[in-house]
Amino acid sequence: MTDPIADYLTRLRNAIKASHRIVEIPASNIKKEITKVLHDKGYIQNYKFEEVGPQGTIKIALKYNPATKQNAIVKLSRVSKPGLRKYAPKNELPRVINGLGIAIISTSKGVMTDKEARTEGIGGEVLCYVY
């Protein structure tokens, strides 16, 4: 697999379109960190890391509005790709929908949102946009 993060986002996107409650994704450390950020910001309901086999899996419970049956995640888009990496210095960190969404950034201090990176005063690789 060339781009495991794009595969992770695509599996989430497909599960949302099919209105699944739970999605299973092969685990890696970066995927675990992205999952933690999505949970902390309220985009997913819950997650569980299972150590099955050599790689393990991540089980993600998606979050839906009970009245409208609409998912908390409207759009997931990959920014930095293996063929074209996108880095942002601390003073040029992106804002997603003028602060309503989040940009997930891989920094030297770990994976965090654009707002957290701004307060820490560090830049990094812009992995994806979520809103």
Side-chain angles (χ1 to χ4, degrees):
M1 182 179 314
T2 315
D3 192 2
I5 297 171
D7 178 62
Y8 170 87
L9 296 174
T10 301
R11 285 177 191 244
L12 278 178
R13 226 178 282 121
N14 290 343
I16 290 166
K17 284 189 179 182
S19 299
H20 289 298
R21 291 275 175 215
I22 295 173
V23 60
E24 282 191 36
I25 300 169
S28 73
N29 289 336
I30 190 88
K31 292 178 193 176
K32 288 179 182 178
E33 293 301 315
I34 293 171
T35 305
K36 288 177 187 173
V37 169
L38 289 175
H39 181 262
D40 292 342
K41 297 304 169 189
Y43 286 103
I44 59 175
Q45 191 170 18
N46 209 348
Y47 63 91
K48 185 167 130 182
F49 302 134
E50 292 184 349
E51 299 299 325
V52 179
Q55 190 173 14
T57 60
I58 305 170
K59 281 191 175 184
I60 299 174
L62 298 172
K63 189 176 190 178
Y64 290 94
N65 183 344
T68 62
K69 305 279 190 235
Q70 188 176 7
N71 195 283
I73 299 171
V74 176
K75 187 163 184 174
L76 289 164
S77 60
R78 180 83 160 111
V79 178
S80 183
K81 299 175 179 147
L84 182 62
R85 300 286 184 189
K86 301 276 183 166
Y87 296 95
K90 64 180 179 180
N91 55 353
E92 293 177 21
L93 288 170
R95 284 191 192 280
V96 181
I97 311 181
N98 206 14
L100 293 176
I102 61 169
I104 298 178
I105 311 226
S106 175
T107 67
S108 57
K109 294 185 180 178
V111 176
M112 59 182 72
T113 65
D114 56 331
K115 295 167 190 147
E116 293 168 349
R118 226 176 258 108
T119 58
E120 293 272 337
I122 52 177
E125 182 181 358
V126 182
L127 297 177
C128 61
Y129 294 150
V130 182
Y131 57 90

